[in-house]
Amino acid sequence: MKIAALLLAALGLIGLAFVIYLLVDGLRAVLERWRNERRLRPLALVVRAREEVAGDLLRLTLAHPRRRGLPRFDAGQHVLMLAPAGPGGRAIRRAYSLAAWHPRPTQYELGIKREAQGAMSSWAWDALLPGSVVRVSPPRGEFVLGPDDSELVLTGGGIGITPMRAMVHAALARPDSSRRIVLLHAARHAEALLYRAEFDRLAELHPRFSYLPLVSRPTAAWRGERGRLDARRMLDAVSRPGSAQFYLCAGMALLESLHTGLLAAGITPAQIHWEAFGMAAAAGGYGQAITLGDGRRIETAGEPSLLATLEAHDCAPPSECRAGSCGQCRLRLEAGEVRWMLAPACRLDDGDILPCVCQPAGDLRIRAA
Ligand code: FES
């Protein structure tokens, strides 16, 4: 009798412990979900400053409406801007690199290039005035500085200088570091060399930082380097190419040529980190039939990418980088062939495609991956 009572009490205790365990576990999961949602919830920020540079570049400074601190980030990361900039006021989102870094940020700085057919950049140009409110995601992205202390070669083509500037800030913020930093910035005109005065000043202050601006269409007044950026110029700027880390951010064509040139010179893929902005301007084909997973059939109409075609028909997958690196837009190709405009920079299973960096090479059948 006594043994039975003891057994019953023990079972009761085990049951109670199990219930407590389930409660704690459930509470932890709820807390985790709440934290994640909070981390990903868009921020409504106010435009504190706006500056137009060289006719087509926009510098925006965003801050919390009540001047609170903003989520921290790693240099090189971006935010997604969310705006009713699509056809008929449809909401779209675009990634913009954070152009300045601070360990405890109170503002985010963005650089936006006005693209002739860029719905978001046109919207930002017209709508974002000082005092306007804009929604952006918390910072995100994998294009960040690695932890090692090897020589750093940062290369920005045009507006691709924005994440590089944040990386310069972060790399110079380590006073105990002797890491050598080389920054190359290629632009068509000297006026488009964003942040030039700041980089000149930093190069004077920090002997371990070199700034190499390069102009492809200079006026007679330009005294600096002239010509186009290529891998050779990057390699000439570095003292030990075999151990340096190369970070590139540029339009797709320049990025592709720099990437190929570095690999051909013996730089390993692990030493090269890149992020593209914008989309190749080359138009795609017309009248190619795309059959979707639900049986719907749409046709291309000269869009620059398969993703653009899907967006035009309201059936696009989520997208972030629009440059083949985040993997967000991944789809499964069931029939047909695509033409890659840029080699994917993330791992793909056989048959997977990234519609942001490819165009149909004929009729296709696709479905969600
Ligand atoms: S949107 Fe990032 S890979 Fe396509």
Side-chain angles (χ1 to χ4, degrees), residues 307 317-330 345-346 353-357:
L307 183 64
S319 60
E320 279 188 18
C321 69
R322 305 175 75 84
S325 53
C326 73
Q328 278 277 318
C329 66
R330 172 190 316 245
C346 58
I353 56 169
L354 299 174
C356 65
V357 284

Side-chain angles (χ1 to χ4, degrees), residues 37 59 79 118 181 210 297:
E37 278 171 12
R59 286 179 67 175
V79 293
I181 307 155
S210 310
R297 205 179 121 109

Side-chain angles (χ1 to χ4, degrees), residues 85-101:
R90 223 179 55 206
I92 59 172
R93 55 185 193 170
R94 291 287 179 275
Y96 291 105
S97 296
L98 291 154
W101 181 86

Side-chain angles (χ1 to χ4, degrees), residues 35-196:
R35 263 199 222 113
N36 275 341
E37 278 171 12
R38 195 157 169 260
R39 195 164 48 82
L40 297 174
R41 199 182 301 153
L43 312 157
L45 303 182
V46 171
V47 177
R48 285 270 178 250
R50 165 194 167 112
E51 184 191 353
E52 294 173 19
V53 184
D56 62 353
L57 302 173
L58 188 61
R59 286 179 67 175
L60 288 177
T61 304
L62 311 178
H64 192 279
R66 288 192 290 282
R67 299 184 186 276
R68 290 191 186 146
L70 297 176
R72 297 178 194 197
F73 60 94
D74 291 323
Q77 287 192 306
H78 62 268
V79 293
L80 296 176
M81 186 178 281
L82 314 157
R90 223 179 55 206
I92 59 172
R93 55 185 193 170
R94 291 287 179 275
Y96 291 105
S97 296
L98 291 154
W101 181 86
H102 191 278
R104 276 188 287 279
T106 54
Q107 56 186 37
Y108 290 158
E109 203 179 307
L110 308 181
I112 299 177
K113 181 174 166 60
R114 185 169 206 166
E115 307 281 356
Q117 293 169 347
M120 180 64 94
S121 66
S122 300
W123 176 86
W125 199 273
D126 296 335
L128 294 183
L129 304 172
S132 311
V133 174
V134 60
R135 288 169 69 228
V136 300
S137 72
R140 51 173 67 199
E142 307 296 321
F143 183 63
V144 294
L145 291 177
D148 66 89
D149 222 24
S150 50
E151 196 168 3
L152 197 54
V153 185
L154 308 175
T155 304
I159 194 70
I161 193 66
T162 49
M164 300 304 161
R165 181 179 179 233
M167 288 183 177
V168 169
H169 292 169
L172 289 177
R174 292 170 55 192
D176 52 332
S177 170
S178 57
R179 185 175 210 181
R180 186 162 176 259
I181 307 155
V182 178
L183 174 67
L184 293 104
H185 185 194
R188 279 192 192 155
H189 310 287
E191 305 76 55
L193 288 169
L194 269 179
Y195 318 117
R196 183 174 153 207

